[in-house]
Amino acid sequence: MASFEAFACDACKGLFARPQSACRRCGAPTVLSVNLSGRGTLASFTTIRVAPTAFQGQEPYDIAVIDLDEGLRITARLTVPEGREAGIGDPAIFEEMRPYGPAFRLI
Ligand SMILES: [Zn+2]
């Protein structure tokens, strides 16, 4: 299972999906890379049928808002296995980082 790289404030332990030059919660200057479990649940999802230029030819594809087990909320590409249907609260797991962001798979 791939771990998901996020960023945590050394002072308040606040989590962020992207690198920060300073903590957006408490202002502390040290935000470090951390490895999260890559497990989470679907808070929301949608199917993109009309893609922006950069993603044309990939539609339809699914995008989800995922609440990671550690408390961080992220937006990611979602793979739904053949024969499955996504639902709010369904578990998902991190697959890989792609050039445009993280990709998760419904489990
Ligand atoms: Zn902080």
Side-chain angles (χ1 to χ4, degrees), residues 17-103:
R18 293 186 175 75
Q20 309 285 318
S21 56
C23 177
R24 278 188 288 144
R25 278 173 49 176
C26 76
T30 309
V31 180
L32 303 169
S33 169
V34 291
N35 286 317
L36 305 184
S37 66
R39 291 180 171 277
T41 57
L42 299 191
S44 177
F45 59 91
T46 190
T47 300
I48 305 296
R49 297 183 193 285
V50 180
T53 309
F55 301 125
Q56 276 174 11
Q58 298 180 30
E59 66 273 35
Y61 58 88
D62 293 325
I63 295 287
V65 175
I66 298 174
D67 287 330
L68 298 178
D69 287 359
E70 292 85 356
L72 183 64
R73 175 169 277 194
I74 60 160
T75 301
R77 182 74 69 95
L78 180 70
T79 300
V80 179
E82 195 72 38
R84 294 279 309 279
E85 223 172 275
I88 302 294
D90 282 355
I93 192 162
F94 176 63
E95 278 191 323
E96 62 179 352
M97 190 59 76
R98 297 186 186 167
Y100 49 79

Side-chain angles (χ1 to χ4, degrees), residues 4-26:
F4 180 75
E5 185 186 29
F7 300 87
C9 172
D10 200 33
C12 74
K13 308 304 176 196
L15 286 172
F16 307 97
R18 293 186 175 75
Q20 309 285 318
S21 56
C23 177
R24 278 188 288 144
R25 278 173 49 176
C26 76

